[in-house]
Amino acid sequence: MLTVESLPALQRALADEELDGWLVYDFHGVNPVAGGLLGLEGMVTRRVFAYVPREGLPVAITHAIEQGPWRRWPTSWGREIYSSWRQLEALIAGLVRGKRVAMEYSPGDAVPYLDRVPAGVLELVRGAGAEVVSSGVLVTRFYAAWTKEHLASHRRSAEKIAEIAREAMVFAGERASAGEPVAEHELQARIMEAFKRGGLVTIERPIVAAGANAADPHYSPSADRKRLINRGEVLLIDLWAREPGNVYADQTWMASLGDASPRAQEVWEAVRDARDAAIALLRDRVSRRTTVRGGEVDDIARGVIRERGFADYFTHRTGHSIDPRELHGSGPHIDNFETREERALVPGVAFSIEPGIYLRGDVGMRTEVNAYIGEGEVVVTPKDFQQSLLVV
């Protein structure tokens, strides 16, 4: 959140970026960055603005009937009240006229996670005489970055999730070997119960996909489409969870029920090597304190898969931001495929690394770990991430 304590660092960043201020906007939750920064509580049905200047105190622009949600706004900071649209536009103009301000805007919608402010609001602000630029660097540093407590929680969750995934795969293999194969949705329910026992929560059920279903990246098992997990098939488990109120851990594990076919082994080695190439680039650049961008990491992983002849079957980004609030966060993504992610991976940000190959009707493989950028180091979770295709 934006606080008295965090304000000096934010204002130093505004100076570093040669910005006059950061203008935060929200209306009915269209901008989660604003929601996270402002921490408003209660009914908010009107337009909200908050201006953080490079020097001086922040100013909130609030509707006359919605003062209660601003109870946590420091009393020493400014608070303007409007009722009519004329008042609102005059207040905005008074704050930003002739200034260079950042907003949650991405030119050309290059990064949708940053493109939160409606075009009409941009027109309003520009019409008031401001130059509007993207707040991407600010979002990365002051919204998406983890604390030490976040990292500690994530590490605990990651180890639990890894254990749950491995146990689920062994269970599926044992049941298939005994001639009593478990269904995908039944194994999914078993994982959810393990989350509960481990004190973890999640927003969606995990992906459990056997055989050709693993070639559907966002496959969802169902009791209405009962599908048994049989010997001779690959098994993909993609699972994510967190300690309540904390940050997510997100992993994908692969197994073969019985010896893997040469084709499955070939595809597995391609995604594993792509993942490891991405990790190697990160570790090299971060250890040397050299800038590395999300798009570059995507290019490296994608290049490995291209060299193996599977470029057309890697149909998504290499990884997504994991910020303190959301599984698919607003920080830098590992992507130069779906979006044009040019933000630097700075200390404090975290993300997934999850290359995949999907041969429809045949086989699908994905391997996923998480990475956190520290000061001169990259923390990869889980500690013992998958190196070989599990045979169960």
Side-chain angles (χ1 to χ4, degrees):
M1 282 181 58
L2 177 61
T3 64
V4 171
E5 293 74 22
S6 65
L7 179 61
L10 174 52
Q11 291 182 317
R12 286 194 297 272
L14 290 169
D16 291 344
E17 297 298 317
E18 298 182 343
L19 293 167
D20 293 303
W22 187 359
L23 183 62
V24 179
Y25 164 84
D26 198 18
F27 178 66
H28 280 245
V30 297
N31 183 6
V33 173
L37 287 173
L38 300 178
L40 301 182
E41 297 176 336
M43 180 181 291
V44 182
T45 64
R46 269 52 170 192
R47 286 174 286 182
V48 166
F49 288 87
Y51 183 64
V52 183
R54 182 169 62 194
E55 297 178 353
L57 297 176
V59 178
I61 301 179
T62 69
H63 196 277
I65 69 170
E66 294 182 344
Q67 295 302 296
W70 291 89
R71 62 181 63 90
R72 295 165 68 181
W73 186 257
T75 55
S76 60
W77 293 359
R79 188 193 303 188
E80 299 288 352
I81 299 175
Y82 76 94
S83 295
S84 72
W85 63 265
R86 291 180 178 87
Q87 291 174 314
L88 173 62
E89 293 185 9
L91 287 169
I92 293 170
L95 287 173
V96 304
R97 183 181 292 115
K99 295 176 180 175
R100 187 169 186 260
V101 301
M103 298 188 76
E104 283 66 73
Y105 149 71
S106 181
D109 195 39
V111 182
Y113 293 85
L114 290 175
D115 208 22
R116 305 292 192 172
V117 177
V121 176
L122 291 175
E123 290 174 352
L124 186 157
V125 175
R126 287 171 172 154
E131 176 190 356
V132 179
V133 301
S134 175
S135 62
V137 172
L138 302 175
V139 171
T140 298
R141 290 178 60 180
F142 296 98
Y143 179 82
W146 290 6
T147 64
K148 291 180 180 178
E149 291 75 19
H150 287 141
L151 178 58
S153 174
H154 169 83
R155 281 175 144 163
R156 292 190 296 269
S157 297
E159 296 311 314
K160 289 179 181 179
I161 286 172
E163 182 180 354
I164 290 168
R166 289 189 292 257
E167 188 280 334
M169 288 178 158
V170 170
F171 177 77
E174 290 174 345
R175 285 283 297 268
S177 295
E180 299 176 349
V182 63
E184 293 168 329
H185 73 279
E186 293 169 338
L187 192 60
Q188 181 189 64
R190 184 181 178 88
I191 293 170
M192 292 295 291
E193 285 297 320
F195 284 169
K196 186 176 180 179
R197 290 193 302 272
L200 302 176
V201 296
T202 188
I203 48 171
E204 299 285 348
R205 289 175 172 268
I207 297 171
V208 177
N213 288 342
D216 180 352
H218 278 182
Y219 174 76
S220 180
S222 170
D224 296 332
R225 303 185 309 275
K226 185 174 181 178
R227 170 63 160 80
L228 299 180
I229 304 170
N230 296 303
R231 298 289 295 173
E233 295 185 317
V234 298
L235 173 61
L236 179 152
I237 297 180
D238 186 345
L239 67 175
W240 50 92
R242 63 179 174 179
E243 295 176 341
N246 229 302
V247 300
Y248 276 96
D250 185 8
Q251 301 169 21
T252 303
W253 291 76
M254 296 297 312
S256 176
L257 279 71
D259 292 337
S261 69
R263 182 64 156 173
Q265 188 64 37
E266 178 188 19
V267 175
W268 161 254
E269 291 176 1
V271 296
R272 178 201 61 195
D273 294 349
R275 178 202 68 197
D276 290 350
I279 294 171
L281 174 67
L282 287 166
R283 284 177 166 160
D284 174 64
R285 294 280 190 89
V286 173
S287 67
R288 294 189 290 113
R289 289 176 165 76
T290 302
T291 299
V292 58
R293 304 183 187 279
E296 294 179 274
V297 183
D298 180 80
D299 288 343
I300 287 292
R302 201 166 299 279
V304 171
I305 289 177
R306 184 180 302 110
E307 290 172 0
R308 306 294 174 88
F310 294 113
D312 291 343
Y313 307 101
F314 181 14
T315 53
H316 58 72
R317 63 194 173 197
T318 296
H320 59 82
S321 162
I322 304 174
D323 71 25
R325 303 160 187 83
E326 297 182 271
L327 175 63
H328 290 189
S330 295
H333 300 266
I334 308 305
D335 191 9
N336 193 28
F337 180 71
E338 296 183 49
T339 67
R340 299 187 298 278
E341 182 59 86
E342 297 178 348
R343 283 178 290 174
L345 301 170
V346 300
V349 302
F351 44 86
S352 70
I353 300 173
E354 49 180 305
I357 294 172
Y358 311 98
L359 306 175
R360 296 281 181 172
D362 184 7
V363 64
M365 292 277 180
R366 181 166 66 251
T367 176
E368 179 181 12
V369 297
N370 300 157
Y372 168 85
I373 305 298
E375 293 290 347
E377 67 168 346
V378 180
V379 177
V380 178
T381 63
K383 184 177 179 181
D384 296 319
F385 54 89
Q386 188 170 4
Q387 298 297 331
S388 59
L389 189 61
L390 297 177
V391 178
V392 294

